Amino acid sequence: MAPLKSWLQVDPKSHFSLHNIPFGIISTLDTPEPHPAVAIGEYALDLHVFSQQNGFSALSIIQPHQKVFSEPTLNAFAALGRPIHRVVREYLQSLFLDNGPFPDVLEKNEQLRKATLLPLKNCKMHLPMFISDYTDFYAGLNHAYNVGVLFRGPQNALQPNYKHLPVGYHGRASSVVVSGTSIRRPNGQILSNPAAEKKEPVFSECKKLDIELELGCFVCKPSKMGEPIRIEDAPKHLFGVVLLNDWSARDIQAWEYVPLGPFNAKNFGTTISAWVVLIDALEPFATVGIANDTELLPYLDEKDRKSNYAIDLSVSLTTSSSKTTNIGDLLGSGTISGESKTEKGCLLEQTDNGKIEITLEGGEKRTFLEDGDTVTLTGVCGSENGALVGFGDCVGRIEPAVQLNL
Amino acid sequence: MASGSWLSIPKGSHFSLANIPFGIISTPPSVAKHAAVAIGDHVLDLHEFASHQGFAELQDFPPDHLATFSQPTLNDFAALGQDAHARVRRYLQEIFAQESAFPGLLKDNNEVQRASLFRNDEVELHLPMKIGGYTDFFAGKNHAYNCGCIFRDPAKALQPNYLQLPVAYNSRASSVVPSGTHIHRPLGQFLSTPGAVESSFGPCRRLDIELELGALLCKGNKLGEPINVNEAESNIFGFVLLNDWSARDIQAWEAVPLGPFNAKTFATSISPWIVLKGALEPFHAVGILNETKLHPYLREVRKNNVYDIKLEVELKTSDGETAILSRTNGSNLVYSFAQMIAHHTIGGCPLEVGDLIGSGTISGLEPGTLGSFLEASEGGKRSFDVSSTSQRTFLEDGDCVTIRGWCGEDDSNTVGFGECSGTILPALKPSWLET
């Protein structure tokens, strides 16, 4: 597809090309209350100021709903439904198009441009949505397999239920934070010797702090209690996608998780990227996922619909001494881990549960995360300059555990 | 001890003057939701009472505090803190006292009574708080032991971690509903026989209850900042009864390794009146002894850290037959709510006003004291009698389960929770769903 050209200077390598138009929540010195915006190149278009100054004048369908652009989260905009998201996104794209249909709205309107086009570096980002519930699935088959091998050997790597149903559990909504928030190493109970017959837990800071490279998807349409969502209708319920780092305390997890699943191992923090890439922006990159050789029950059968997305994902780790390594070996496409030995979405897999050290560019070694480490997840669809659709950063720095006087 | 009231309160009422539980009501035909308290068979609408100067004699309670009674949930009132709750409760006890110091505000004021005092059957009850997170613990040791014996050798009934940490999972806040809400049997995947190789799909065949207590929070903590176990009681607003309806067959198939999910998230019912922590102060009790030496962050100074609450479970079948299935006590817990809160936040997890904490199923050890059908039917192996003509292993469509709980021996000072009930309806099967 030929890249769309804008009158605005947009770096050809920008993840916020004209093909993207992701939505987020910003605050600025001029408007300190969090409010909606979209990202384009190195700018945010402040939708609150834009709508207040009649920027949507050429889009009649949004006229009765403009107060959604003054809300502190995107929930009200999302609730308007996908047909409206599509129309608003296309309208905003058209405003930035070279030789676009509405040049008087923004391109030729210096006053509006000054008021609404803000350098991203002057914007503070906030959680894009109010999250009432957060469910974490386990759909990365390669990750599930790799982890299973570590604990049970290849024959029993995947549980009997794995290919029949998407296994999931509830995370803690209150612990989801926006990219840039510091993550404190958790304290908790861990086994001093996991292999010992008699289990003796000690109380300690987590010693196996890990990442989990994931995608997050936001819901825009609810369902009623007791009424399942038909799989063909599911896309209507989806708003957009972010990167998600499900920070994990592997030692706390190993001791606590039988029989009710992971809990404190996960609820100390989960980071998401700040810009929500709408489903429509991802459609050109739709693809098939990993084949499931099991015959699925009808309620799960998508009948060959291309419902995954080809997203190049990478993880980089910056140590406290500021040496950055692109753990290029952690590149994966799809959900969590790739197939090859070098495409792992978490340190548990990458280091064989702490048995193999990875060497960073500065010569430092790692098994699990250390205090001061900063982990950045990035993701981008496509490879054509000027047409990249990316997610921005999903980043968190590990702070030392709280010292408790007990 | 509270004295009698000028309002007629039936003997044995859960809502004596010693209680004063808080809830959210609307008064049809209005749909506006307000804070209210329950007294005997009546309800005092706090928004209306405030609008009619009912709180004129309450000191240090400015207009913004009063405004919390006009909100559609109790979250803002809860956030005022336990001191404020205690003062409002004492004030309302005085308003309703036989020898009230302020008779002109309600006792002798017909106009205010007409505007704010209603009979139970004149109001609708709603979820009392906006619940941001709902965590379910597993602190009923007898239940954990009984269930373990169903699946394993009794010597290994409890998992190695059980007595070291209060095991828990996050459940689904959006599925918490008020008592009286009908519960549709869930659809899902399960193994029709234990050794089956293929899973089946259809309505759950092993639908169960779980008798629990719920704590609702009035105070939270910041991300990264754990709550000290000896301060955690000040985070609690009050308590409700909780029925964690469970689909045992769906649970068995899905739960490894990430815990229960669809087995639980189709519904959880709570009683509508929140009994404030202050009302339960006379009923502190010692729980089930934990012989393990706990880690310091779980060592609570208070030894009587649970409550002596009489609990009962009643089943009414669609034929109208009624039976009490179980009688047990809220002190059958091996961890307190303070310990649950301390464990929940030890890694830095943030809790918030309105969060719901479930205790886990509460059971005794003997038949007739069990908090789930799984235990009463010994894992579905034995049916138990409901009446001379009815038996059950698990719930049937049309069954109505009611949980009741109350404290105190004195008929005129009972502190109770009212009822937490739900009726099972058949699974909703959309026309498009192939089963």
Side-chain angles (χ1 to χ4, degrees):
Chain A
M1 133 195 38
L4 299 170
K5 280 186 61 79
S6 176
W7 49 264
L8 185 67
Q9 276 270 54
V10 178
D11 188 315
K13 293 231 180 289
S14 171
H15 288 191
F16 300 146
S17 72
L18 206 42
H19 292 256
N20 190 351
I21 314 288
F23 285 69
I25 294 289
I26 66 170
S27 62
T28 59
L29 283 176
D30 283 340
T31 319
E33 294 305 315
H35 56 281
V38 292
I40 174 104
E42 287 169 18
Y43 292 91
L45 181 74
D46 185 324
L47 292 178
H48 165 71
V49 177
F50 184 75
S51 69
Q52 299 255 292
Q53 298 196 16
N54 229 6
F56 284 107
S57 53
L59 185 64
S60 57
I61 197 170
I62 201 65
Q63 294 306 316
H65 306 293
Q66 291 199 72
K67 60 180 177 351
V68 304
F69 298 121
S70 303
E71 293 279 321
T73 70
L74 293 172
N75 291 47
F77 173 64
L80 295 177
R82 285 197 56 194
I84 298 216
H85 310 157
R86 176 169 305 130
V87 163
V88 169
R89 182 173 161 269
E90 284 171 1
Y91 175 75
L92 293 172
Q93 267 178 331
S94 69
L95 296 182
F96 285 99
L97 266 180
D98 216 13
N99 298 316
F102 313 115
D104 293 328
V105 174
L106 192 65
E107 181 187 354
K108 295 189 166 41
N109 186 336
E110 188 183 343
Q111 187 270 328
L112 191 62
R113 284 203 321 273
K114 275 211 170 78
T116 60
L117 267 180
L118 311 171
L120 280 172
K121 60 178 162 41
N122 295 346
C123 300
K124 178 170 181 211
M125 302 308 302
H126 301 265
L127 265 185
M129 292 188 86
F130 173 74
I131 299 163
S132 11
D133 272 303
Y134 156 42
T135 313
D136 198 28
F137 282 90
Y138 192 38
L141 184 145
N142 300 320
H143 163 75
Y145 179 79
N146 292 340
V147 170
V149 168
L150 280 174
F151 295 113
R152 284 180 294 281
Q155 293 290 60
N156 299 312
L158 292 179
Q159 299 288 350
N161 58 15
Y162 186 85
K163 289 189 179 178
H164 292 269
L165 58 87
V167 182
Y169 71 100
H170 282 92
R172 186 78 192 177
S174 65
S175 68
V176 179
V177 295
V178 76
S179 176
T181 307
S182 290
I183 302 293
R184 214 172 248 299
R185 178 180 300 272
N187 290 311
Q189 292 192 27
I190 66 177
L191 289 174
S192 47
N193 182 357
E197 175 73 29
K198 188 168 192 306
K199 305 294 181 194
E200 306 210 319
V202 295
F203 182 76
S204 155
E205 60 176 39
C206 161
K207 298 193 173 155
K208 289 186 164 187
L209 190 54
D210 200 354
I211 62 166
E212 282 199 345
L213 167 63
E214 305 194 24
L215 296 172
C217 190
F218 281 112
V219 168
C220 61
K221 186 171 156 192
S223 66
K224 289 212 186 86
M225 185 153 157
E227 296 181 15
I229 295 174
R230 185 177 191 174
I231 197 163
E232 288 91 339
D233 293 335
K236 293 194 197 121
H237 293 259
L238 302 179
F239 180 48
V241 176
V242 292
L243 301 174
L244 186 150
N245 186 344
D246 182 21
W247 308 94
S248 303
R250 299 296 182 198
D251 40 9
I252 292 175
Q253 184 172 359
W255 175 227
E256 75 178 354
Y257 87 104
V258 180
L260 299 177
F263 183 65
N264 282 345
K266 306 285 190 167
N267 63 20
F268 60 94
T270 294
T271 302
I272 61 169
S273 52
W275 293 102
V276 182
V277 177
L278 298 203
I279 300 291
D280 283 329
L282 293 174
E283 281 306 329
F285 308 102
T287 184
V288 269
I290 298 174
N292 189 342
D293 50 18
T294 306
E295 190 180 342
L296 287 173
L297 285 160
Y299 80 99
L300 287 171
D301 186 358
E302 282 193 286
K303 301 183 176 39
D304 299 326
R305 194 177 83 90
K306 284 186 182 170
S307 57
N308 282 296
Y309 300 105
I311 307 173
D312 282 321
L313 296 163
S314 66
V315 180
S316 90
L317 190 151
T318 309
T319 68
S320 56
S321 50
S322 287
K323 295 191 171 62
T324 304
T325 289
N326 277 322
I327 307 188
D329 294 340
L330 283 176
L331 273 170
S333 62
T335 334
I336 301 185
S337 296
E339 276 184 356
S340 74
K341 283 200 178 121
T342 56
E343 293 174 70
K344 304 288 172 67
C346 66
L347 294 168
L348 182 70
E349 294 167 75
Q350 183 75 1
T351 68
D352 217 22
N353 196 10
K355 293 209 223 34
I356 305 171
E357 283 181 315
I358 42 179
T359 306
L360 308 179
E361 253 174 39
E364 289 186 60
K365 299 209 190 276
R366 285 289 182 276
T367 48
F368 289 97
L369 295 171
E370 308 214 350
D371 293 345
D373 283 352
T374 297
V375 177
T376 306
L377 309 183
T378 49
V380 66
C381 304
S383 49
E384 198 174 357
N385 284 349
L388 300 175
V389 174
F391 296 80
D393 289 345
C394 176
V395 62
R397 182 175 192 274
I398 301 299
E399 299 294 326
V402 173
Q403 295 301 308
L404 293 168
N405 296 320
L406 290 165
Chain B
M1 265 317 186
S3 63
S5 173
W6 50 265
L7 185 66
S8 175
I9 298 178
K11 272 232 176 302
S13 170
H14 285 195
F15 306 138
S16 71
L17 273 199
N19 191 352
I20 317 283
F22 283 68
I24 292 287
I25 65 164
S26 60
T27 319
S30 167
V31 294
K33 295 180 190 167
H34 304 139
V37 293
I39 313 263
D41 291 342
H42 288 79
V43 164
L44 182 70
D45 181 324
L46 297 178
H47 161 80
E48 292 295 343
F49 190 57
S51 308
H52 289 81
Q53 276 70 56
F55 286 99
E57 294 293 339
L58 178 59
Q59 307 304 318
D60 297 322
F61 210 75
D64 65 335
H65 284 24
L66 281 178
T68 64
F69 296 138
S70 309
Q71 295 298 311
T73 72
L74 290 169
N75 291 45
D76 286 351
F77 174 64
L80 297 178
Q82 286 178 345
D83 280 344
H85 313 154
R87 289 195 299 114
V88 171
R89 208 174 136 258
R90 265 199 306 277
Y91 180 80
L92 291 171
Q93 285 174 323
E94 189 56 55
I95 289 287
F96 281 98
Q98 181 67 51
E99 304 299 322
S100 172
F102 320 121
L105 294 179
L106 190 68
K107 174 182 174 187
D108 298 334
N109 192 325
N110 285 337
E111 189 203 329
V112 178
Q113 283 193 27
R114 256 198 308 280
S116 60
L117 192 60
F118 302 100
R119 285 188 328 269
N120 279 344
D121 57 18
E122 290 178 297
V123 303
E124 265 184 37
L125 296 168
H126 305 274
L127 260 190
M129 293 187 90
K130 171 107 184 72
I131 298 165
Y134 158 38
T135 313
D136 200 28
F137 280 82
F138 192 33
K141 182 181 171 207
N142 300 324
H143 166 76
Y145 178 79
N146 294 339
C147 291
C149 288
I150 292 169
F151 300 114
R152 288 180 288 285
D153 166 9
K156 298 196 170 143
L158 294 178
Q159 299 287 350
N161 59 14
Y162 186 84
L163 291 174
Q164 297 275 4
L165 57 85
V167 185
Y169 67 100
N170 291 302
S171 194
R172 183 88 190 170
S174 67
S175 67
V176 179
V177 293
S179 173
T181 308
H182 292 317
I183 307 296
H184 283 282
R185 180 177 297 273
L187 296 165
Q189 285 194 35
F190 48 84
L191 297 181
S192 46
T193 59
V197 175
E198 294 299 318
S199 60
S200 307
F201 177 79
C204 158
R205 295 178 189 175
R206 289 163 67 112
L207 191 55
D208 201 353
I209 63 167
E210 284 198 344
L211 162 64
E212 306 194 23
L213 291 170
L216 287 153
L217 300 190
C218 59
K219 189 166 84 169
N221 59 304
K222 291 206 187 91
L223 182 77
E225 298 181 11
I227 296 174
N228 184 306
V229 69
N230 294 310
E231 291 165 20
E233 286 200 345
S234 68
N235 291 70
I236 297 175
F237 180 45
F239 301 91
V240 291
L241 303 170
L242 186 151
N243 187 344
D244 182 21
W245 308 95
S246 303
R248 301 293 182 198
D249 41 2
I250 293 173
Q251 183 172 359
W253 179 226
E254 73 179 358
V256 181
L258 299 178
F261 183 64
N262 282 347
K264 303 287 190 165
T265 58
F266 61 96
T268 293
S269 299
I270 62 170
S271 54
W273 293 106
I274 302 176
V275 176
L276 295 207
K277 186 173 175 309
L280 289 184
E281 283 307 319
F283 309 106
H284 275 288
V286 174
I288 297 175
L289 180 64
N290 188 344
E291 286 118 356
T292 311
K293 187 166 180 206
L294 289 173
H295 287 278
Y297 79 98
L298 287 172
R299 283 186 210 154
E300 198 176 357
V301 167
R302 185 202 268 281
K303 295 300 165 217
N304 57 346
N305 55 10
V306 297
Y307 296 102
D308 174 10
I309 304 174
K310 303 183 212 339
L311 297 166
E312 75 179 20
V313 178
E314 177 194 272
L315 174 70
K316 185 156 106 178
T317 70
S318 52
D319 300 324
E321 292 184 323
T322 304
I324 301 290
L325 297 184
S326 179
R327 286 194 174 90
T328 182
N329 195 292
S331 60
N332 276 328
L333 296 172
V334 73
Y335 294 106
S336 68
F337 280 103
Q339 288 170 317
M340 294 178 218
I341 289 169
H343 182 68
H344 201 325
T345 60
I346 189 61
C349 177
L351 298 180
E352 297 171 334
V353 176
D355 281 350
L356 175 63
I357 311 258
S359 62
T361 313
I362 298 175
S363 295
L365 283 167
E366 305 303 322
T369 69
L370 305 170
S372 69
F373 283 44
L374 183 70
E375 295 162 82
S377 70
E378 291 173 44
K381 291 206 272 290
R382 256 179 248 300
S383 61
F384 52 92
D385 286 329
V386 173
S387 70
S388 53
T389 49
S390 293
Q391 293 89 34
R392 286 288 184 275
T393 42
F394 289 100
L395 289 165
E396 304 199 358
D397 291 346
D399 283 350
C400 176
V401 176
T402 301
I403 297 174
R404 293 188 192 90
W406 66 96
C407 307
E409 307 294 337
D410 174 357
D411 257 5
S412 28
N413 282 300
T414 304
V415 175
F417 295 79
E419 293 186 347
C420 175
S421 71
T423 301
I424 302 300
L425 297 183
L428 276 177
K429 277 189 241 178
S431 55
W432 48 263
L433 194 59
E434 294 168 49
T435 53

